[in-house]
Amino acid sequence: MGGSNQTAVTEYVLLGLCGHRNLEMVLFVLCLGIYSVNVLGNALLIGLNVLDSRLHSPMYFFLSNLSFMDICGTSSFVPLMLVHFLVAQRTISFPGCALQSYLTLALGCTECLLLAVMAYDRYVAICQPLRYPELMSGQMCMQMALLSWGTGFGNSLLHSILTWSLHFCGHNVINHFFCEYLAVLKLACGDISLNVLLTMVATVVLSLAPFLVICLSYIFILDAILRVPSAAGGHKAFSTCSAHLTVVMIFYGTISFMYFKPKAKDSDLDKIIALFYGVVTPSLNPIIYSLRNAEVKAAARALLRGDLLSRKTFLTL
């Protein structure tokens, strides 16, 4: 009896929107298009930051990190999800599911921390401009980026070890598009109180604390802008923050709606909302920074004219 209750799971079945074939075809086309925009847009942002010396600053260094993270985050589950939209057999191996769960959780936590670091960068630039070269030196930026990535991946590793050491009693049907951490945890048939406690602590430390840092940074930034004597000076100072602030509002707004809204009677609605968060939100970042940032728009125009590549070629000769 005990042996049968602890049947080893070698693969998982991802339900997705089982029974809604036409809707899945629509989602396939939409997700393929949005994923393409995400990869191309974020890759373009990284390329511009590398090619244009005017973008070699802490703000764009962190933006490159955010863009790379968005590419990795969506690539960890979207390609397989697109395949599953087209086929009847929607399975994923145990190692593949474990890796997918690990990466999505790690990159989600890392994004929270990177957004907080970017808010701190804007705070120092506007509120303490004379100390900006000292506080946001190249070495310091590298350390903050590594700390964000390391903390996110370390937290996910701890969650993964505790989760995959649980017994699943042969349960292998995941009611989601991919191996989302909480969806996997629901399959466990043992005591998950430690996992729940760790999840709550991690949420406070790695999601709410960074959000508090972002809020405090923008309170100080707003205070500094209001004390600028000229309206033009205040507008110029705020324009450097508007793109980041928009990204933060979309990111945390989607999370808040997804986790704090009343539980839907139809679980498919919750899955579509989670899909929006995982696929659509990362693709908005390059669009927002392209539309709301004059330096990025100038770099993009220079790239289209061929100036960036010719300048880069000239410098390497």
Side-chain angles (χ1 to χ4, degrees):
M1 187 71 162
S4 64
N5 283 341
Q6 297 181 13
T7 304
V9 175
T10 58
E11 67 178 15
Y12 290 90
V13 177
L14 298 168
L15 285 183
L17 290 176
C18 189
H20 298 81
R21 188 63 181 167
N22 292 335
L23 180 56
E24 286 189 330
M25 289 297 98
V26 173
L27 287 176
F28 171 80
V29 175
L30 287 176
C31 290
L32 179 61
I34 294 170
Y35 176 65
S36 301
V37 170
N38 171 32
V39 173
L40 293 175
N42 282 298
L44 177 62
L45 270 183
I46 295 173
L48 290 176
N49 292 341
V50 171
L51 293 172
D52 196 330
S53 58
R54 292 171 297 181
L55 303 183
H56 292 175
S57 66
M59 181 172 73
Y60 296 109
F61 168 74
F62 293 124
L63 176 58
S64 294
N65 275 262
L66 186 65
S67 295
F68 179 68
M69 191 215 60
D70 284 336
I71 294 174
C72 293
T74 51
S75 298
S76 66
F77 73 94
V78 171
L80 182 61
M81 182 186 70
L82 292 174
V83 173
H84 286 171
F85 280 145
L86 302 176
V87 299
Q89 186 176 5
R90 305 173 181 190
T91 59
I92 183 172
S93 66
F94 177 88
C97 187
L99 179 62
Q100 197 176 75
S101 175
Y102 171 73
L103 288 176
T104 52
L105 180 60
L107 293 166
C109 294
T110 302
E111 181 160 8
C112 291
L113 297 170
L114 277 176
L115 289 174
V117 169
M118 294 172 76
Y120 173 73
D121 168 70
R122 291 298 83 207
Y123 158 74
V124 176
I126 293 174
C127 300
Q128 302 188 49
L130 296 180
R131 298 190 62 197
Y132 187 75
E134 172 195 351
L135 295 176
M136 300 302 296
S137 64
Q139 182 180 3
M140 182 60 70
C141 290
M142 184 63 70
Q143 289 175 352
M144 287 192 288
L146 289 175
L147 183 61
S148 298
W149 285 90
T151 302
F153 276 76
N155 169 69
S156 184
L157 179 61
L158 180 58
H159 278 282
S160 297
I161 291 172
L162 290 177
T163 299
W164 298 109
S165 62
L166 295 169
H167 296 299
F168 291 89
C169 305
H171 301 159
N172 72 331
V173 179
I174 298 175
N175 189 21
H176 215 299
F177 293 105
F178 60 98
C179 291
E180 195 259 345
Y181 168 72
L182 293 178
V184 172
L185 197 59
K186 289 178 182 178
L187 300 182
C189 54
D191 182 16
I192 62 170
S193 56
L194 180 59
N195 301 76
V196 172
L197 176 62
L198 181 62
T199 301
M200 292 175 62
V201 172
T203 300
V204 172
V205 175
L206 300 179
S207 296
L208 298 182
F211 182 67
L212 181 61
V213 170
I214 293 170
C215 290
L216 288 174
S217 296
Y218 277 105
I219 288 173
F220 287 118
I221 288 171
L222 183 60
D223 178 63
I225 290 175
L226 292 176
R227 286 190 279 109
V228 173
S230 67
H235 180 267
K236 182 179 180 181
F238 183 75
S239 65
T240 65
C241 308
S242 59
H244 174 259
L245 188 57
T246 304
V247 169
V248 167
M249 291 172 63
I250 293 174
F251 178 77
Y252 276 99
T254 308
I255 289 180
S256 300
F257 181 76
M258 187 166 58
Y259 288 109
F260 298 119
K261 71 174 182 63
K263 192 69 176 177
K265 293 181 180 179
D266 184 4
S267 62
D268 289 341
L269 178 60
D270 288 330
K271 286 185 280 187
I272 292 175
I273 293 171
L275 188 64
F276 175 87
Y277 164 72
V279 179
V280 178
T281 303
S283 68
L284 296 177
N285 293 349
I287 297 173
I288 292 168
Y289 273 95
S290 299
L291 294 176
R292 301 186 68 88
N293 190 292
E295 291 176 316
V296 172
K297 286 192 285 188
R301 285 194 293 266
L303 180 65
L304 290 175
R305 292 195 304 267
D307 295 347
L308 280 185
L309 293 177
S310 60
R311 189 188 313 158
K312 196 74 175 178
T313 304
F314 175 78
L315 291 174
T316 56
L317 294 177

